[in-house]
Amino acid sequence: QAQLVESGGGLVQAGGSLRLSCAASGRTFSSYIMAWFRQAPGKEREFVAAITPSGTPSATSTHYAEFAQGRFTISRDSAENTVYLQMNSLKPEDTAVYSCAARMGSIVELTTTRLWNFWGQGTQVTVSS
């Protein structure tokens, strides 16, 4: 059974950094688009970043929400079936549960949560001011 398990969340001061990991198991996700979403208390789940399948380095593309541009970096290690989210210059408004997701297909409508087939349980990120 396919499973995504996030780790790396925690409490960090504003301006600090965290690196989240999403370990995939049960199937090979190297041909899947992988993404990170987040959900803050009382808010809708929102798209953070996505990365396309890795074939050759030039074929992999990344996509970011505006708030993540320049601060967050998504990457993947297909050999280890793992996706990462490096988050720098964290702000209190980044506090949320961060979840990874996977799907096949095109890169259209990346922000639409119902189009993602696999989800992890999430990891809590709390940024103190």
Side-chain angles (χ1 to χ4, degrees):
Q1 183 176 354
Q3 189 175 16
L4 301 175
V5 179
E6 302 91 340
S7 62
L11 174 64
V12 64
Q13 287 189 330
S17 299
L18 281 175
R19 189 194 195 203
L20 307 183
S21 299
C22 171
S25 62
R27 66 175 61 198
T28 300
F29 283 88
S30 59
S31 59
Y32 283 68
I33 303 171
M34 303 295 294
W36 287 94
F37 285 76
R38 71 183 188 182
Q39 187 168 21
K43 295 189 176 181
E44 299 271 328
R45 181 177 285 178
E46 66 178 346
F47 171 80
V48 178
I51 186 167
T52 57
S54 54
T56 62
S58 61
T60 300
S61 66
T62 56
H63 307 266
Y64 295 94
E66 188 173 341
F67 66 80
Q69 286 277 3
R71 297 191 300 129
F72 296 0
T73 302
I74 188 171
S75 61
R76 67 192 298 165
D77 183 334
S78 294
E80 296 187 357
N81 231 12
T82 302
V83 177
Y84 303 97
L85 184 68
Q86 177 68 43
M87 304 187 295
N88 300 326
S89 302
L90 283 163
K91 306 174 182 180
E93 51 264 43
D94 294 319
T95 294
V97 174
Y98 285 72
S99 301
C100 65
R103 78 181 202 202
M104 298 194 76
S106 72
I107 62 171
V108 297
E109 297 188 76
L110 291 173
T111 64
T112 305
T113 56
R114 63 178 173 81
L115 296 180
W116 292 85
N117 305 115
F118 299 97
W119 290 89
Q121 292 297 309
T123 184
Q124 175 70 46
V125 171
T126 303
V127 185
S128 63
S129 57

